[in-house]
């Protein structure tokens, strides 16, 4: 069912509850039909974004409560035949690192030729322990790990397109050539790599869901609320893992 259908459904469900109330107070809970669940089909793919040691407790860019997504993502993984993971994969001295810009501190924003860049603590350097996908992620049937941000002078939050907004990673072509059209996004961090991946997936024509409870955000300078707003505008559907039929 589309978002519009779901809204209509919610509206008719609450109208029914109101009517029941007017008719003498039948218990609300009994008149509210269960929300239909979203079905995972063979055109659906789960994208697990950057569940890497650097973004988890003890990591150099730890996302608050990031570890809480792991059991949820493992559970989701069992319901998806198609799973793709991403790995933030930077060179040493990467342009997104504050340490590469003398006098700058993490979380400051600078202007680069391709636009504004938040500066981060060094993280996810190619081949290091911090860049490994967390050992507790248990989805052995995942089919592709796409690495991004591997060019020293360009960042890439999105799994589809680098921050220059021109260079593609190949993920859209991969999904399309496999006939996958419905993208479900999970992982870290909601307001950066998850949001950019979800919005680029929309731009590539996919139906896109972000599974909110399977994500956690960094939330620097209002970034989390801004990201949800931008995702909504681009047509990303915000759902919970309990909305899925599993
Ligand atoms: C991310 C900041 C820098 C992310 C990656 O995975 O959301 N955030 N690099
Ligand atoms: Zn990064």
């Amino acid at each position: 069912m589309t978002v519009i259908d779901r809204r209509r459904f919610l509206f008719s469900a609450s109208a029914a509850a109101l009517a029941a109330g007017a008719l003498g107070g039948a218990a609300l809970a009994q008149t509210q039909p269960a929300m239909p669940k979203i079905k995972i089909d063979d055109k659906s793919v789960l994208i697990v974004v950057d569940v890497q040691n650097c973004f988890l407790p003890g990591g150099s860019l730890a996302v608050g409560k990031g570890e809480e997504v792991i059991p949820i993502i493992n559970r989701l993984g069992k319901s998806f035949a198609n799973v793709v993971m991403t790995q933030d994969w930077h060179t040493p001295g990467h342009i997104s690192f504050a340490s590469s810009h003398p006098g700058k501190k993490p979380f400051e924003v600078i202007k680069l030729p391709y636009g504004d860049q938040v500066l981060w603590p060094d993280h996810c350097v190619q081949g290091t322990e911090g860049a490994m996908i967390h050992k507790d992620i248990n989805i052995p049937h995942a089919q592709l790990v796409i690495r991004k941000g591997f060019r020293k002078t360009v960042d890439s939050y999105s799994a589809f397109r680098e921050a220059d907004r021109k260079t593609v990673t190949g993920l859209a072509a991969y999904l399309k050539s496999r006939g996958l059209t419905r993208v479900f996004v999970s992982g870290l961090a909601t307001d950066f790599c998850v949001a950019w991946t979800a919005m680029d997936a929309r731009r590539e024509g996919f139906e896109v869901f972000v599974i909110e409870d399977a994500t956690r955000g960094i939330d620097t300078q209002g970034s989390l609320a801004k990201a949800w707003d931008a995702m909504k505008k681009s047509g990303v559907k915000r759902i919970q893992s309990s909305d899925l039929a599993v």
Side-chain angles (χ1 to χ4, degrees), residues 50 55 61 88 90 120 123 148 157 188-189 192-194 218:
D50 297 1
F55 298 120
L61 181 42
D88 212 33
H90 299 312
W120 305 107
H123 66 280
K148 60 184 179 61
Y157 296 145
L188 306 170
F192 291 93
C193 293
V194 167
I218 294 174

Side-chain angles (χ1 to χ4, degrees), residues 69 94 152 185 222 231 233 236:
V69 304
H94 192 259
K152 193 170 185 176
V185 190
M231 285 193 274
K233 287 200 177 84
V236 170

Side-chain angles (χ1 to χ4, degrees), residues 26-136:
L28 231 165
Q30 284 170 12
T31 59
Q32 199 104 12
M35 185 74 164
K37 302 256 181 180
I38 298 161
K39 290 201 179 63
I40 299 162
D41 60 16
D42 57 6
K43 296 188 177 324
S44 301
V45 58
L46 177 67
I47 302 187
V48 180
V49 175
D50 297 1
V51 187
Q52 293 165 266
N53 295 330
C54 272
F55 298 120
L56 291 159
S60 59
L61 181 42
V63 179
K65 304 193 174 180
E67 72 283 5
E68 292 180 0
V69 304
I70 294 175
I72 299 172
I73 288 172
N74 284 340
R75 212 178 315 125
L76 286 168
K78 294 194 200 312
S79 303
F80 281 83
N82 305 304
V83 181
V84 168
M85 301 200 196
T86 74
Q87 217 172 2
D88 212 33
W89 200 249
H90 299 312
T91 61
H94 192 259
I95 199 162
S96 73
F97 297 171
S99 63
S100 304
H101 305 271
K104 297 290 177 191
K105 291 193 210 54
F107 305 101
E108 285 183 36
V109 180
I110 60 163
K111 301 247 182 253
L112 289 178
Y114 56 76
D116 286 356
Q117 172 72 54
V118 182
L119 296 176
W120 305 107
D122 289 23
H123 66 280
C124 296
V125 173
Q126 297 167 5
T128 62
E129 194 56 35
M132 298 299 122
I133 290 173
H134 194 273
K135 64 173 177 30
D136 294 341

Side-chain angles (χ1 to χ4, degrees), residues 144-183:
L144 174 72
V145 178
I146 193 134
R147 290 173 169 169
K148 60 184 179 61
F150 52 75
R151 295 195 302 141
K152 193 170 185 176
T153 57
V154 188
D155 203 2
S156 190
Y157 296 145
S158 165
F160 289 93
R161 202 175 278 261
E162 297 184 12
D164 63 7
R165 304 283 73 207
K166 291 189 186 77
T167 311
V168 297
T169 64
L171 181 58
Y174 169 87
L175 297 176
K176 286 175 192 176
S177 66
R178 289 195 53 205
L180 301 171
T181 58
R182 306 173 82 213
V183 170

Side-chain angles (χ1 to χ4, degrees), residues 63 189 191-192 217-226:
V63 179
D191 35 354
F192 291 93
I218 294 174
D219 204 10
T220 172
Q221 294 151 56
S223 55
L224 188 57
K226 273 188 219 153

